[in-house]
Amino acid sequence: MKLRLAITLGFLPWLCIAARSKTAGKFEQEHTKFTSSPPLKLDDSLYEQLTATPRDFAVAVLLTALEARFGCQLCRDFQPEWDVLGQSWARGDKKGDSRLLLGTLDFADGKGTFQKLMLQTAPVLLFFPPTTGSNAKPDAQPIRYDFTMGSQSAEQVHDWICRHLPAGPKPKIHRPLNWVRLITITTAVLGVVSFFSVASPYIIPIIQNRNLWAAISLITILLFTSGHMFNHIRKVPYVAGDGKGGISYFAGGFSNQFGLETQIVAAMYGTLSFATIALALKVPRMVDPRKQQVAVFIWGGVIFGMYSFLLSVFRVKNGGYPFHLPPF
């Protein structure tokens, strides 16, 4: 009995060395496949081999269902990001210093694994930490990534995996150049430049027209000083009843306003502005003195009458205002 125990104890170190060399050889073999075609495409058998214990390396496995008959839109949305992560990791870790393998197990190739894990949804990302070596975890159970927030980016999954790996440099994400987007942007820029090169003799005079910018500025000022933004913020009614069977066009008080009231006030301001501009710019250029005198009276009367109407509206808004101007 003692002899048998001594023989067993003597062979135990050699058995441990053999098991360690076996797991190391398994990682080297699969890492070579991983660097040539990342991420690894798994089936039930290869999944069992990579996740079996003892294991001195980590494995991240994406269990997915990519075929259209399964109707997993999240699987198809996340797969390009997972491919980018796998290719970036294989590119930046060619020597296998991180001791990590990334693989994909599709439902069509791993129905037995899905049944064994009792998975009802996809995708599912599992991280298997090493069970032997200096970076071994006491709990060999896989860590599951949460997809409850929808499809994740390669950078988010990369950060999650790095948190479960030992400290040290990790490969960075390298996204392939999007040639379609580059060509589209280049074509659009060249098209815009060509359009402006051809149309500039016609567009520049319009852009440099003072009257155009004066009209735009005046319309903008009238629009906002009349209370246009107030209507959008407060969602005011267009008109309201006056309680006597009629329509009230102006709301009493400074904190109330109707939609039609805004348009009337803007029209009054516009008429006053146009009359003032005509008196200042158009009337002095008239050659005939009689026509000039008539124009002064006409535009002066327009300003007087419109300002009288404006004061009457102001008295509706502020009942305590004592002044008025005939005829309103």
Side-chain angles (χ1 to χ4, degrees):
M1 184 68 181
K2 293 183 179 180
L3 179 60
R4 183 179 300 176
L5 179 61
I7 294 174
T8 302
L9 293 175
F11 277 102
L12 185 60
W14 298 101
L15 292 174
C16 295
I17 294 174
R20 184 179 301 176
S21 62
K22 182 178 180 181
T23 57
K26 180 168 62 174
F27 173 78
E28 297 296 337
Q29 179 182 0
E30 297 302 331
H31 184 264
T32 302
K33 298 179 182 178
F34 172 65
T35 54
S36 61
S37 181
L40 291 172
K41 186 176 181 180
L42 309 180
D43 54 18
D44 286 332
S45 176
L46 188 54
Y47 174 86
E48 292 293 338
Q49 294 179 20
L50 291 179
T51 59
T53 56
R55 183 182 61 252
D56 64 346
F57 56 90
V59 183
V61 180
L62 175 66
L63 297 102
T64 185
L66 297 175
E67 293 187 11
R69 59 192 176 99
F70 300 126
C72 182
Q73 184 62 40
L74 182 58
C75 298
R76 292 191 290 270
D77 292 342
F78 179 67
Q79 189 61 38
E81 297 296 316
W82 179 250
D83 293 338
V84 168
L85 176 58
Q87 294 166 7
S88 301
W89 202 281
R91 177 183 177 183
D93 188 30
K94 295 182 179 180
K95 296 182 179 180
D97 296 333
S98 64
R99 307 290 292 176
L100 173 67
L101 296 175
L102 285 82
T104 304
L105 179 61
D106 196 354
F107 180 77
D109 303 320
K111 296 180 180 179
T113 302
F114 274 78
Q115 294 174 357
K116 180 180 178 181
L117 298 175
M118 294 184 293
L119 297 178
Q120 302 294 328
T121 59
V124 174
L125 179 58
L126 299 178
F127 178 82
F128 295 85
T131 59
T132 60
S134 56
N135 300 319
K137 302 293 183 180
D139 186 5
Q141 293 298 319
I143 305 171
R144 182 167 176 169
Y145 185 75
D146 188 10
F147 280 96
T148 56
M149 300 301 294
S151 181
Q152 305 292 307
S153 65
E155 288 77 9
Q156 291 173 304
V157 180
H158 176 273
D159 295 340
W160 178 78
I161 292 177
C162 291
R163 287 198 297 267
H164 297 289
L165 292 175
K170 307 294 189 305
K172 297 181 179 180
I173 298 295
H174 296 279
R175 292 188 176 273
L177 185 62
N178 191 337
W179 290 102
V180 175
R181 182 179 180 184
L182 178 62
I183 294 173
T184 302
I185 294 176
T186 304
T187 304
V189 171
L190 292 177
V192 171
V193 172
S194 301
F195 172 77
F196 278 103
S197 299
V198 175
S200 58
Y202 309 98
I203 296 177
I204 291 179
I206 297 176
I207 296 177
Q208 295 177 343
N209 190 295
R210 294 183 178 180
N211 294 331
L212 175 64
W213 287 108
I216 294 175
S217 301
L218 184 60
I219 293 172
T220 304
I221 292 172
L222 293 176
L223 186 67
F224 287 100
T225 55
S226 62
H228 177 72
M229 291 305 299
F230 182 93
N231 294 345
H232 279 276
I233 295 173
R234 296 291 185 90
K235 306 295 182 183
V236 299
Y238 190 68
V239 292
D242 59 358
K244 302 177 182 180
I247 298 176
S248 178
Y249 299 102
F250 300 96
F254 291 116
S255 59
N256 301 315
Q257 186 171 284
F258 296 144
L260 183 58
E261 176 184 341
T262 300
Q263 298 175 4
I264 295 175
V265 171
M268 288 191 296
Y269 286 160
T271 304
L272 288 170
S273 301
F274 186 77
T276 304
I277 293 173
L279 277 176
L281 300 178
K282 299 296 181 181
V283 174
R285 297 177 184 177
M286 291 183 176
V287 179
D288 190 346
R290 184 176 296 274
K291 291 182 178 179
Q292 188 181 56
Q293 186 177 13
V294 172
V296 169
F297 281 113
I298 292 175
W299 290 118
V302 170
I303 293 176
F304 183 85
M306 192 56 62
Y307 190 70
S308 174
F309 182 55
L310 182 61
L311 283 180
S312 68
V313 173
F314 187 76
R315 292 181 67 185
V316 173
K317 305 295 291 184
N318 184 8
Y321 189 70
F323 303 105
H324 73 283
L325 189 65
F328 297 100

Short mmCIF file of all heavy atoms in Angstrom, two decimals, residues 5-53:
data_model
loop_
_atom_site.label_atom_id
_atom_site.label_comp_id
_atom_site.label_asym_id
_atom_site.label_seq_id
_atom_site.Cartn_x
_atom_site.Cartn_y
_atom_site.Cartn_z
N LEU A 5 1.30 4.19 -2.94
CA LEU A 5 1.14 5.61 -2.67
C LEU A 5 2.38 6.40 -3.07
O LEU A 5 2.29 7.49 -3.64
CB LEU A 5 0.84 5.81 -1.18
CG LEU A 5 0.66 7.27 -0.71
CD1 LEU A 5 -0.52 7.90 -1.44
CD2 LEU A 5 0.46 7.31 0.80
N ALA A 6 3.55 5.79 -2.80
CA ALA A 6 4.79 6.47 -3.16
C ALA A 6 4.92 6.60 -4.67
O ALA A 6 5.36 7.64 -5.20
CB ALA A 6 5.99 5.69 -2.60
N ILE A 7 4.51 5.56 -5.40
CA ILE A 7 4.58 5.62 -6.87
C ILE A 7 3.62 6.69 -7.40
O ILE A 7 3.96 7.46 -8.32
CB ILE A 7 4.26 4.23 -7.47
CG1 ILE A 7 5.35 3.24 -7.08
CG2 ILE A 7 4.12 4.33 -8.99
CD1 ILE A 7 5.04 1.81 -7.51
N THR A 8 2.44 6.73 -6.81
CA THR A 8 1.45 7.73 -7.26
C THR A 8 1.94 9.14 -7.01
O THR A 8 1.84 10.02 -7.88
CB THR A 8 0.12 7.51 -6.52
OG1 THR A 8 -0.33 6.17 -6.76
CG2 THR A 8 -0.93 8.50 -7.00
N LEU A 9 2.49 9.37 -5.81
CA LEU A 9 3.03 10.70 -5.51
C LEU A 9 4.21 11.05 -6.39
O LEU A 9 4.43 12.22 -6.74
CB LEU A 9 3.44 10.78 -4.03
CG LEU A 9 2.28 10.70 -3.02
CD1 LEU A 9 2.84 10.67 -1.59
CD2 LEU A 9 1.32 11.86 -3.21
N GLY A 10 4.97 10.06 -6.81
CA GLY A 10 6.10 10.32 -7.68
C GLY A 10 5.67 10.72 -9.08
O GLY A 10 6.33 11.55 -9.72
N PHE A 11 4.59 10.12 -9.56
CA PHE A 11 4.12 10.45 -10.92
C PHE A 11 3.23 11.69 -10.96
O PHE A 11 2.96 12.21 -12.05
CB PHE A 11 3.34 9.26 -11.50
CG PHE A 11 4.23 8.22 -12.10
CD1 PHE A 11 4.51 7.04 -11.40
CD2 PHE A 11 4.81 8.41 -13.35
CE1 PHE A 11 5.33 6.08 -11.94
CE2 PHE A 11 5.62 7.44 -13.89
CZ PHE A 11 5.90 6.27 -13.20
N LEU A 12 2.76 12.17 -9.80
CA LEU A 12 1.83 13.30 -9.79
C LEU A 12 2.42 14.56 -10.41
O LEU A 12 1.75 15.22 -11.22
CB LEU A 12 1.38 13.56 -8.34
CG LEU A 12 0.30 14.65 -8.17
CD1 LEU A 12 -0.95 14.25 -8.94
CD2 LEU A 12 -0.02 14.83 -6.69
N PRO A 13 3.67 14.96 -10.11
CA PRO A 13 4.22 16.16 -10.76
C PRO A 13 4.28 16.01 -12.27
O PRO A 13 4.03 16.96 -13.01
CB PRO A 13 5.60 16.30 -10.14
CG PRO A 13 5.50 15.58 -8.84
CD PRO A 13 4.59 14.44 -9.08
N TRP A 14 4.64 14.80 -12.72
CA TRP A 14 4.72 14.60 -14.18
C TRP A 14 3.34 14.68 -14.82
O TRP A 14 3.20 15.19 -15.95
CB TRP A 14 5.36 13.23 -14.46
CG TRP A 14 6.77 13.14 -13.95
CD1 TRP A 14 7.19 12.52 -12.81
CD2 TRP A 14 7.93 13.71 -14.55
NE1 TRP A 14 8.54 12.65 -12.64
CE2 TRP A 14 9.03 13.38 -13.71
CE3 TRP A 14 8.15 14.46 -15.70
CZ2 TRP A 14 10.32 13.79 -14.01
CZ3 TRP A 14 9.44 14.86 -15.98
CH2 TRP A 14 10.51 14.53 -15.15
N LEU A 15 2.33 14.20 -14.11
CA LEU A 15 0.97 14.31 -14.65
C LEU A 15 0.53 15.77 -14.74
O LEU A 15 -0.13 16.18 -15.71
CB LEU A 15 0.00 13.53 -13.76
CG LEU A 15 0.16 12.01 -13.78
CD1 LEU A 15 -0.77 11.37 -12.75
CD2 LEU A 15 -0.10 11.44 -15.17
N CYS A 16 0.90 16.57 -13.74
CA CYS A 16 0.55 17.99 -13.76
C CYS A 16 1.26 18.71 -14.91
O CYS A 16 0.66 19.54 -15.62
CB CYS A 16 0.92 18.67 -12.44
SG CYS A 16 -0.05 18.04 -11.04
N ILE A 17 2.53 18.37 -15.11
CA ILE A 17 3.28 18.99 -16.21
C ILE A 17 2.67 18.61 -17.55
O ILE A 17 2.54 19.43 -18.47
CB ILE A 17 4.76 18.58 -16.13
CG1 ILE A 17 5.41 19.16 -14.87
CG2 ILE A 17 5.51 19.03 -17.38
CD1 ILE A 17 6.83 18.68 -14.64
N ALA A 18 2.26 17.33 -17.65
CA ALA A 18 1.66 16.88 -18.91
C ALA A 18 0.33 17.59 -19.17
O ALA A 18 0.03 17.99 -20.30
CB ALA A 18 1.44 15.37 -18.86
N ALA A 19 -0.47 17.76 -18.11
CA ALA A 19 -1.75 18.46 -18.28
C ALA A 19 -1.53 19.92 -18.65
O ALA A 19 -2.23 20.48 -19.50
CB ALA A 19 -2.56 18.36 -16.99
N ARG A 20 -0.53 20.56 -18.03
CA ARG A 20 -0.23 21.95 -18.34
C ARG A 20 0.24 22.10 -19.78
O ARG A 20 -0.17 23.02 -20.49
CB ARG A 20 0.82 22.49 -17.36
CG ARG A 20 1.12 23.97 -17.53
CD ARG A 20 2.13 24.43 -16.52
NE ARG A 20 1.66 24.21 -15.16
CZ ARG A 20 2.40 24.45 -14.08
NH1 ARG A 20 3.65 24.89 -14.21
NH2 ARG A 20 1.90 24.23 -12.88
N SER A 21 1.11 21.23 -20.21
CA SER A 21 1.60 21.30 -21.60
C SER A 21 0.47 21.03 -22.59
O SER A 21 0.43 21.61 -23.67
CB SER A 21 2.73 20.30 -21.80
OG SER A 21 2.27 18.97 -21.59
N LYS A 22 -0.49 20.18 -22.19
CA LYS A 22 -1.61 19.89 -23.07
C LYS A 22 -2.48 21.11 -23.25
O LYS A 22 -2.88 21.46 -24.38
CB LYS A 22 -2.42 18.73 -22.49
CG LYS A 22 -3.59 18.32 -23.39
CD LYS A 22 -4.32 17.15 -22.79
CE LYS A 22 -5.50 16.73 -23.68
NZ LYS A 22 -6.24 15.59 -23.10
N THR A 23 -2.81 21.84 -22.14
CA THR A 23 -3.62 23.05 -22.25
C THR A 23 -2.87 24.15 -22.99
O THR A 23 -3.47 24.91 -23.76
CB THR A 23 -4.03 23.53 -20.85
OG1 THR A 23 -2.85 23.77 -20.06
CG2 THR A 23 -4.90 22.51 -20.16
N ALA A 24 -1.55 24.25 -22.75
CA ALA A 24 -0.76 25.25 -23.46
C ALA A 24 -0.75 24.97 -24.94
O ALA A 24 -0.87 25.88 -25.77
CB ALA A 24 0.67 25.29 -22.90
N GLY A 25 -0.60 23.70 -25.30
CA GLY A 25 -0.63 23.34 -26.71
C GLY A 25 -1.98 23.62 -27.34
O GLY A 25 -2.06 24.03 -28.50
N LYS A 26 -3.06 23.40 -26.59
CA LYS A 26 -4.39 23.68 -27.11
C LYS A 26 -4.55 25.17 -27.39
O LYS A 26 -5.11 25.56 -28.42
CB LYS A 26 -5.44 23.21 -26.10
CG LYS A 26 -6.87 23.45 -26.57
CD LYS A 26 -7.88 22.73 -25.71
CE LYS A 26 -7.84 23.22 -24.27
NZ LYS A 26 -8.92 22.61 -23.46
N PHE A 27 -4.04 26.03 -26.51
CA PHE A 27 -4.16 27.46 -26.74
C PHE A 27 -3.36 27.88 -27.96
O PHE A 27 -3.84 28.66 -28.80
CB PHE A 27 -3.69 28.24 -25.51
CG PHE A 27 -3.62 29.73 -25.74
CD1 PHE A 27 -4.78 30.49 -25.72
CD2 PHE A 27 -2.42 30.36 -26.01
CE1 PHE A 27 -4.74 31.86 -25.94
CE2 PHE A 27 -2.37 31.73 -26.24
CZ PHE A 27 -3.53 32.48 -26.20
N GLU A 28 -2.12 27.37 -28.08
CA GLU A 28 -1.29 27.74 -29.22
C GLU A 28 -1.93 27.31 -30.52
O GLU A 28 -1.92 28.06 -31.52
CB GLU A 28 0.10 27.10 -29.08
CG GLU A 28 0.89 27.57 -27.87
CD GLU A 28 1.21 29.05 -27.93
OE1 GLU A 28 1.21 29.61 -29.04
OE2 GLU A 28 1.44 29.65 -26.87
N GLN A 29 -2.53 26.15 -30.53
CA GLN A 29 -3.16 25.64 -31.75
C GLN A 29 -4.36 26.51 -32.13
O GLN A 29 -4.50 26.90 -33.30
CB GLN A 29 -3.58 24.19 -31.55
CG GLN A 29 -4.28 23.58 -32.76
CD GLN A 29 -4.72 22.15 -32.51
OE1 GLN A 29 -4.50 21.61 -31.41
NE2 GLN A 29 -5.34 21.54 -33.48
N GLU A 30 -5.22 26.80 -31.17
CA GLU A 30 -6.41 27.58 -31.47
C GLU A 30 -6.07 29.05 -31.72
O GLU A 30 -6.75 29.72 -32.49
CB GLU A 30 -7.42 27.47 -30.33
CG GLU A 30 -7.94 26.06 -30.09
CD GLU A 30 -8.60 25.48 -31.34
OE1 GLU A 30 -9.13 26.26 -32.15
OE2 GLU A 30 -8.57 24.24 -31.50
N HIS A 31 -5.01 29.55 -31.09
CA HIS A 31 -4.62 30.94 -31.31
C HIS A 31 -4.11 31.13 -32.74
O HIS A 31 -4.32 32.21 -33.34
CB HIS A 31 -3.56 31.37 -30.30
CG HIS A 31 -3.19 32.82 -30.41
ND1 HIS A 31 -2.10 33.26 -31.13
CD2 HIS A 31 -3.79 33.93 -29.91
CE1 HIS A 31 -2.02 34.57 -31.06
NE2 HIS A 31 -3.04 35.00 -30.32
N THR A 32 -3.45 30.13 -33.28
CA THR A 32 -3.02 30.21 -34.67
C THR A 32 -4.22 30.32 -35.61
O THR A 32 -4.22 31.13 -36.55
CB THR A 32 -2.18 28.98 -35.02
OG1 THR A 32 -1.06 28.89 -34.13
CG2 THR A 32 -1.68 29.06 -36.46
N LYS A 33 -5.26 29.55 -35.33
CA LYS A 33 -6.48 29.64 -36.14
C LYS A 33 -7.15 31.00 -35.92
O LYS A 33 -7.70 31.59 -36.86
CB LYS A 33 -7.45 28.53 -35.75
CG LYS A 33 -6.93 27.12 -36.00
CD LYS A 33 -7.96 26.10 -35.56
CE LYS A 33 -7.45 24.68 -35.74
NZ LYS A 33 -8.44 23.67 -35.26
N PHE A 34 -7.11 31.49 -34.69
CA PHE A 34 -7.77 32.75 -34.36
C PHE A 34 -7.13 33.92 -35.10
O PHE A 34 -7.83 34.80 -35.62
CB PHE A 34 -7.71 32.97 -32.85
CG PHE A 34 -8.19 34.32 -32.40
CD1 PHE A 34 -9.52 34.70 -32.59
CD2 PHE A 34 -7.33 35.22 -31.80
CE1 PHE A 34 -9.97 35.94 -32.18
CE2 PHE A 34 -7.77 36.47 -31.40
CZ PHE A 34 -9.10 36.83 -31.59
N THR A 35 -5.80 33.96 -35.15
CA THR A 35 -5.12 35.05 -35.83
C THR A 35 -5.31 35.01 -37.34
O THR A 35 -5.26 36.04 -38.01
CB THR A 35 -3.62 35.03 -35.51
OG1 THR A 35 -3.09 33.72 -35.82
CG2 THR A 35 -3.37 35.34 -34.04
N SER A 36 -5.54 33.83 -37.89
CA SER A 36 -5.72 33.72 -39.34
C SER A 36 -7.16 34.04 -39.77
O SER A 36 -7.38 34.55 -40.87
CB SER A 36 -5.35 32.32 -39.81
OG SER A 36 -6.18 31.33 -39.20
N SER A 37 -8.14 33.75 -38.92
CA SER A 37 -9.54 34.00 -39.27
C SER A 37 -10.33 34.34 -38.02
O SER A 37 -11.07 33.50 -37.48
CB SER A 37 -10.14 32.77 -39.96
OG SER A 37 -11.49 33.01 -40.32
N PRO A 38 -10.18 35.57 -37.52
CA PRO A 38 -10.89 35.95 -36.29
C PRO A 38 -12.30 36.44 -36.59
O PRO A 38 -12.56 37.00 -37.67
CB PRO A 38 -10.03 37.09 -35.76
CG PRO A 38 -9.43 37.72 -36.97
CD PRO A 38 -9.25 36.61 -37.98
N PRO A 39 -13.24 36.26 -35.64
CA PRO A 39 -13.16 35.38 -34.48
C PRO A 39 -13.37 33.93 -34.89
O PRO A 39 -13.83 33.65 -36.00
CB PRO A 39 -14.30 35.88 -33.59
CG PRO A 39 -15.28 36.47 -34.54
CD PRO A 39 -14.51 37.03 -35.69
N LEU A 40 -13.02 33.01 -33.97
CA LEU A 40 -13.14 31.58 -34.28
C LEU A 40 -14.59 31.19 -34.51
O LEU A 40 -15.50 31.63 -33.80
CB LEU A 40 -12.58 30.76 -33.11
CG LEU A 40 -11.07 30.81 -32.89
CD1 LEU A 40 -10.71 30.11 -31.58
CD2 LEU A 40 -10.32 30.17 -34.06
N LYS A 41 -14.83 30.37 -35.51
CA LYS A 41 -16.16 29.83 -35.76
C LYS A 41 -16.26 28.49 -35.05
O LYS A 41 -15.53 27.55 -35.36
CB LYS A 41 -16.41 29.68 -37.25
CG LYS A 41 -17.84 29.26 -37.58
CD LYS A 41 -18.09 29.21 -39.08
CE LYS A 41 -19.53 28.81 -39.38
NZ LYS A 41 -19.78 28.75 -40.84
N LEU A 42 -17.17 28.39 -34.08
CA LEU A 42 -17.25 27.22 -33.21
C LEU A 42 -18.44 26.34 -33.58
O LEU A 42 -19.39 26.77 -34.24
CB LEU A 42 -17.38 27.66 -31.75
CG LEU A 42 -16.37 28.69 -31.23
CD1 LEU A 42 -16.65 29.01 -29.77
CD2 LEU A 42 -14.94 28.19 -31.41
N ASP A 43 -18.35 25.10 -33.12
CA ASP A 43 -19.49 24.18 -33.11
C ASP A 43 -19.56 23.57 -31.71
O ASP A 43 -18.79 23.95 -30.82
CB ASP A 43 -19.36 23.12 -34.20
CG ASP A 43 -18.03 22.38 -34.14
OD1 ASP A 43 -17.36 22.43 -33.06
OD2 ASP A 43 -17.64 21.74 -35.13
N ASP A 44 -20.45 22.63 -31.52
CA ASP A 44 -20.60 22.05 -30.18
C ASP A 44 -19.31 21.42 -29.68
O ASP A 44 -18.93 21.59 -28.52
CB ASP A 44 -21.71 20.99 -30.21
CG ASP A 44 -23.09 21.62 -30.29
OD1 ASP A 44 -23.25 22.77 -29.82
OD2 ASP A 44 -24.02 20.98 -30.82
N SER A 45 -18.62 20.69 -30.56
CA SER A 45 -17.40 20.00 -30.15
C SER A 45 -16.29 20.98 -29.78
O SER A 45 -15.65 20.84 -28.73
CB SER A 45 -16.94 19.07 -31.28
OG SER A 45 -15.72 18.45 -30.95
N LEU A 46 -16.05 21.96 -30.64
CA LEU A 46 -14.98 22.93 -30.36
C LEU A 46 -15.31 23.79 -29.16
O LEU A 46 -14.42 24.18 -28.39
CB LEU A 46 -14.74 23.79 -31.60
CG LEU A 46 -13.54 24.73 -31.57
CD1 LEU A 46 -12.26 23.97 -31.23
CD2 LEU A 46 -13.39 25.46 -32.89
N TYR A 47 -16.59 24.09 -28.96
CA TYR A 47 -17.00 24.84 -27.78
C TYR A 47 -16.66 24.07 -26.51
O TYR A 47 -16.14 24.65 -25.54
CB TYR A 47 -18.50 25.14 -27.85
CG TYR A 47 -19.06 25.79 -26.61
CD1 TYR A 47 -19.00 27.16 -26.45
CD2 TYR A 47 -19.64 25.01 -25.60
CE1 TYR A 47 -19.52 27.76 -25.30
CE2 TYR A 47 -20.16 25.60 -24.46
CZ TYR A 47 -20.10 26.97 -24.31
OH TYR A 47 -20.60 27.56 -23.18
N GLU A 48 -16.94 22.78 -26.49
CA GLU A 48 -16.62 21.96 -25.34
C GLU A 48 -15.12 21.91 -25.09
O GLU A 48 -14.66 21.94 -23.95
CB GLU A 48 -17.19 20.55 -25.52
CG GLU A 48 -18.71 20.48 -25.50
CD GLU A 48 -19.28 20.81 -24.14
OE1 GLU A 48 -18.54 20.69 -23.13
OE2 GLU A 48 -20.45 21.20 -24.06
N GLN A 49 -14.34 21.82 -26.17
CA GLN A 49 -12.88 21.75 -26.00
C GLN A 49 -12.32 23.05 -25.42
O GLN A 49 -11.47 23.02 -24.53
CB GLN A 49 -12.24 21.46 -27.36
CG GLN A 49 -12.55 20.09 -27.94
CD GLN A 49 -11.91 19.89 -29.29
OE1 GLN A 49 -10.94 20.57 -29.66
NE2 GLN A 49 -12.45 18.94 -30.07
N LEU A 50 -12.80 24.19 -25.92
CA LEU A 50 -12.24 25.46 -25.46
C LEU A 50 -12.67 25.81 -24.05
O LEU A 50 -11.92 26.46 -23.31
CB LEU A 50 -12.66 26.59 -26.41
CG LEU A 50 -12.06 26.56 -27.81
CD1 LEU A 50 -12.59 27.72 -28.65
CD2 LEU A 50 -10.54 26.62 -27.75
N THR A 51 -13.86 25.41 -23.64
CA THR A 51 -14.36 25.77 -22.31
C THR A 51 -14.12 24.69 -21.26
O THR A 51 -14.48 24.89 -20.10
CB THR A 51 -15.87 26.07 -22.39
OG1 THR A 51 -16.57 24.91 -22.89
CG2 THR A 51 -16.14 27.25 -23.32
N ALA A 52 -13.53 23.58 -21.68
CA ALA A 52 -13.26 22.50 -20.73
C ALA A 52 -12.16 22.91 -19.74
O ALA A 52 -11.31 23.74 -20.04
CB ALA A 52 -12.86 21.23 -21.48
N THR A 53 -12.20 22.34 -18.57
CA THR A 53 -11.18 22.59 -17.55
C THR A 53 -10.29 21.36 -17.42
O THR A 53 -10.75 20.22 -17.67
CB THR A 53 -11.85 22.89 -16.20
OG1 THR A 53 -12.72 21.80 -15.86
CG2 THR A 53 -12.66 24.18 -16.28
#
